[in-house]
Amino acid sequence: MFKKRVLTLFAFVIVLGGCENFNSSTPATAAPTQNGYRFVPPPQPSVTQVSPHLVTVDTKQLLHAPVQVNVVSGANAVDQANKKALIQPSSTRTLNSIIIYPYQAGNIYEIYAAPMNVTDIEMQPGEQIISVAAGDTVRWELSKTLSGADSSRTEHLLIKPFEEDISTTMVITTNQRTYHLLLKSTKNTFMATVQWQYDNQGMLVNNLSGGAGGASSVENGLPSFNIADLDFSYKTELKKGNKPDWMPKAVFNDGLKTYIEFSSRLQSAPALFMKQNGSGDASVNYRIVGNYYVIDQVMTAAELMSGNGETVVEITYNKS
C-alpha cells in the first residue's frame, strides 16, 4: 500500500516536470493575454511592389489628330448666321434724326417703323434702285421717290406699316449693291431717315459731294486756296489700330473750308465723321480733290475711320 502511494506520487512529479519543461520551451515573446485568453494580432496585408508602366506617345499622331469643332447645321445654323449678321441702330452713329448704318454686304439691318409714320431709306447719290421685295406687302406700304437733280439725284424708298407689332424682311437691289433689311413695326418708335456709310473698297461715305450737294467725285489737281489765310492749328492722333497708309499729312482751314492732306493719292478712302458737341459723331459732306479731302466748313473735331472701325484717327483743332 505504501509502495503504491510512493509510485503514484513519483508519477505525478514526473508529469509536473514535463509540464514545466514544456512551458520553459515557450519563447519569451509569447503573445500577450487578455482576460486569460491569448491575444493574436490580425495578419497584416502584404504589399506588392508594382513597377511603373511607361507609355510611348507618337507626337506626330497628336499633331495630326482631328480637332473637335462644334458644328451647327440645319435651322440652327441659319438662326446663328442671321443673329451674327444683324446690325442694330447705335446712338454713336446719328445726325439729328438720321440713323447712319455702316454698309457691308451680307449684313441684315434692323429698321424701326410705326403706323401713321414714314421711314425714309436714302440711297447714295447716283445710286439707282432696281427692285424691292418684301415678305409682307399687305401690311406694309412701300414707295419710291427722288430728291435733287443731275449729279445730286438721290433715290429714296419710303416705308410705312399699317399695323404695330409686326415684322417682315425686305431686299433692295440697286445698280451698285444689295441691301437686306429687317423691318419691325412698333407703336411709337420709328426711324425718320436711314443713310449709309460705305466701306473703303471703292465706295465712299454717303453724301461725298462736289460743291453744294453735288455727287461724289474724285477730281484731279489740287484745291485752290490762299496760303496767307491758312490755319494749321490741327492735331492728328491714331486712336485705334495700326498706323494706316492714309494717315493725314496735314490738316488746315482757310476760314471757310477745311482741308485734309494725305501723303499720296488715295487708294482707299477712309470715312470722315464730324464730332458733335456731346452728341456723338455724324457724317459730313466733303469731296476729294487729288490727295485732299475738302470739307465745306471749318472743322473743329473729327474722326477718320476705315472699314468697320478697325482703324481710327482723331483730328482736333488746337487754336489758342
Side-chain angles (χ1 to χ4, degrees), residues 99-307:
I99 302 295
I100 303 170
Y101 270 134
Y103 176 83
Q104 186 174 7
N107 281 343
I108 302 173
Y109 299 95
E110 193 170 58
I111 306 296
Y112 288 90
M116 307 302 293
N117 293 281
V118 175
T119 295
D120 175 15
I121 309 297
E122 184 177 328
M123 301 293 104
Q124 187 179 21
E127 187 175 15
Q128 299 175 7
I129 297 175
I130 297 174
S131 67
V132 178
D136 183 355
T137 57
V138 174
R139 296 180 295 178
W140 292 82
E141 180 181 290
L142 310 175
S143 61
K144 189 175 74 170
T145 189
L146 299 172
S147 66
D150 300 328
S151 60
S152 63
R153 180 181 182 275
T154 302
E155 296 194 359
H156 303 253
L157 183 65
L158 306 181
I159 301 172
K160 183 174 69 174
F162 294 123
E163 301 177 18
E164 60 184 68
D165 296 327
I166 59 174
S167 64
T168 190
T169 57
M170 185 170 69
V171 178
I172 306 171
T173 61
T174 73
N175 61 339
Q176 297 186 37
R177 53 188 72 88
T178 301
Y179 301 82
H180 294 84
L181 309 181
L182 174 61
L183 309 181
K184 290 187 174 181
S185 174
T186 68
K187 184 176 182 180
N188 297 310
T189 302
F190 73 100
M191 295 174 170
T193 305
V194 177
Q195 290 183 354
W196 309 91
Q197 170 201 336
Y198 300 103
D199 62 20
N200 57 5
Q201 298 174 351
M203 293 177 286
L204 305 179
V205 170
N206 189 33
N207 288 337
L208 267 158
S209 58
S216 62
S217 63
V218 178
E219 302 173 16
N220 295 320
L222 298 174
S224 62
F225 42 74
N226 189 345
I227 300 295
D229 296 332
L230 301 186
D231 182 357
F232 288 86
S233 303
Y234 288 88
K235 177 183 176 182
T236 59
E237 182 180 4
L238 181 64
K239 302 297 290 186
K240 184 179 179 182
N242 299 321
K243 185 177 180 179
D245 56 1
W246 47 260
M247 189 75 180
K249 183 178 179 180
V251 181
F252 52 92
N253 73 70
D254 62 359
L256 297 174
K257 300 177 182 180
T258 304
Y259 305 87
I260 303 175
E261 181 185 5
F262 298 90
S263 59
S264 60
R265 189 173 181 84
L266 291 174
Q267 298 299 319
S268 59
L272 176 65
F273 288 94
M274 185 81 74
K275 301 289 288 185
Q276 301 294 304
N277 294 327
S279 60
D281 301 343
S283 61
V284 58
N285 292 342
Y286 63 95
R287 62 187 182 277
I288 297 177
V289 182
N291 59 322
Y292 287 83
Y293 276 13
V294 180
I295 302 96
D296 293 323
Q297 65 185 88
V298 174
M299 188 175 65
T300 57
E303 283 184 348
L304 289 167
M305 184 182 304
S306 66

